[in-house]
Amino acid sequence: MAYSILIVDDSEIIRSMISRTITLTKLPVHTFREARNGIEALDVLNRDWIDIVFTDLNMPVMNGLDLIKNMKKTVDLEDVPVIVITTEGNIHRLDELKDAGARDCIRKPFTPEKIRDVITNVLGVWDAK
Amino acid sequence: MQNKLNHIMASVAESIFEQVAFVFADDIGIHCRPQDNNWDALGAELKFTGTINGTIHLWLETTLASNIALNMLAAEEPIEKEKAIDAVREMCNIISGNFITTAYQNADIILHIPDLLDTKILHEDFIDPHGVWFSSDDGAILILVKET
């Protein structure tokens, strides 16, 4: 099985770094989709099949927390796993993200190993040859 | 207090530049400040609010900002200025987030979205005696931490 992945971040550079890092994990990827904020992400999610979402927290227009809350209110999207990639180290905010339904949080700067561990935890093990 | 914050910032920023941008600081200190008062740099600002309020300014020599963008994108061809600006904003974001976690531990602080700094502020920051200066092969770096 190959996965469709949505990367949400207002920085083009970070979106590129995340997709390259995921590629390094050897996860079979069908498509990388990108969005610059929560609103654009919801638009993609409502149109296309997405297996997992990687989102930043602090973004203009709609932030990562509101994106998760909106997804949880939508039957077709509530089970799509969301991983937050953020510089945020505030325990209260990280707890708020988990409470809202984020499956995991990754601190920036991230490593391929950390991304691989989180994906393994969320999607299961794959043959990384 | 400012000395302690600057010491933490120097350590955090040096590590982040290495990990994220593959930029290695040759030296750290006020003597790394360029001699040219018309230093050509791109800057970003991140505000933080909560139990402690303040701002963090990051200035990267323009050539260095472009090279960092190239490194972050794993690109080889020259890039547009917008991508260099994106790199400065994101480096400011990552450095600030890690600095705040290290310096203020579990304080309840909200990070705001980084903004581009107007070059009018550059001269003021350039002569600020509390700046943390780095030198690297591709140019100088200035970071200012200000509690308000």
Side-chain angles (χ1 to χ4, degrees):
Chain A
M1 175 179 178
Y3 297 98
S4 292
I5 296 173
L6 173 60
I7 299 168
V8 191
D9 199 301
D10 54 325
S11 164
E12 181 185 346
I13 285 180
I14 293 297
R15 295 196 304 271
S16 167
M17 288 179 76
I18 293 170
S19 61
R20 270 189 292 113
T21 306
I22 291 171
T23 302
L24 287 173
T25 69
K26 307 279 177 63
L27 177 78
V29 176
H30 178 263
T31 336
F32 282 115
R33 300 298 309 274
E34 294 187 7
R36 292 176 297 181
N37 56 60
I39 293 286
E40 286 189 6
L42 288 170
D43 188 42
V44 173
L45 285 158
N46 284 315
R47 281 188 285 112
D48 300 329
W49 178 268
I50 296 293
D51 294 294
I52 186 167
V53 177
F54 288 85
T55 183
D56 188 16
L57 177 58
N58 295 321
M59 295 177 287
V61 186
M62 181 189 281
N63 66 29
L65 179 60
D66 288 337
L67 168 63
I68 295 168
K69 286 177 178 174
N70 272 279
M71 289 175 66
K72 293 299 167 189
K73 286 191 287 192
T74 308
V75 175
D76 289 344
L77 305 180
E78 63 182 346
D79 293 328
V80 178
V82 181
I83 311 297
V84 179
I85 300 185
T86 178
T87 56
E88 190 71 62
N90 181 328
I91 291 168
H92 309 290
R93 273 208 112 184
L94 295 175
D95 284 346
E96 194 179 8
L97 287 164
K98 292 274 181 71
D99 291 345
R103 289 287 290 274
D104 213 332
C105 296
I106 297 173
R107 290 286 307 280
K108 293 176 187 171
F110 48 82
T111 62
E113 291 77 18
K114 179 63 184 172
I115 297 256
R116 184 197 60 213
D117 290 349
V118 170
I119 295 175
T120 305
N121 190 34
V122 172
L123 296 178
V125 179
W126 67 91
D127 186 8
K129 285 179 185 169
Chain B
M1 185 61 182
Q2 187 68 46
N3 281 347
K4 186 183 172 194
L5 293 177
N6 282 359
H7 182 72
I8 293 169
M9 176 55 88
S11 169
V12 167
E14 187 176 18
S15 169
I16 299 291
F17 275 111
E18 286 183 18
Q19 289 179 66
V20 178
F22 313 112
V23 167
F24 297 87
D26 298 329
D27 204 357
I28 301 174
I30 191 71
H31 54 279
C32 299
R33 183 164 67 187
Q35 299 301 311
D36 182 2
N37 282 346
N38 295 314
W39 187 46
D40 181 20
L42 295 171
E45 172 189 60
L46 187 137
K47 290 181 180 153
F48 55 95
T49 53
T51 48
I52 301 161
N53 300 309
T55 59
I56 293 167
H57 288 187
L58 169 68
W59 292 97
L60 299 178
E61 195 156 320
T62 302
T63 313
L64 175 62
S66 296
N67 286 344
I68 286 176
L70 279 172
N71 290 346
M72 292 172 84
L73 286 163
E76 290 176 359
E77 294 171 7
I79 47 134
E80 313 90 87
K81 189 177 180 184
E82 285 69 28
K83 289 198 172 64
I85 290 169
D86 189 8
V88 176
R89 290 176 72 243
E90 199 50 44
M91 289 305 296
C92 183
N93 187 29
I94 299 173
I95 289 169
S96 300
N98 282 273
F99 164 78
I100 285 166
T101 306
T102 307
Y104 304 123
Q105 308 279 315
N106 293 323
D108 196 3
I109 294 171
I110 301 278
L111 308 179
H112 294 248
I113 297 170
D115 284 322
L116 193 65
L117 278 169
D118 195 306
T119 49
K120 289 174 188 166
I121 299 167
L122 177 56
H123 181 66
E124 191 182 313
D125 284 355
F126 187 85
I127 59 174
D128 192 310
H130 300 301
V132 180
W133 284 95
F134 298 82
S135 66
S136 76
D137 283 349
D138 294 318
I141 300 164
L142 167 62
I143 309 178
L144 279 157
V145 182
K146 292 178 186 172
E147 288 183 0
T148 54

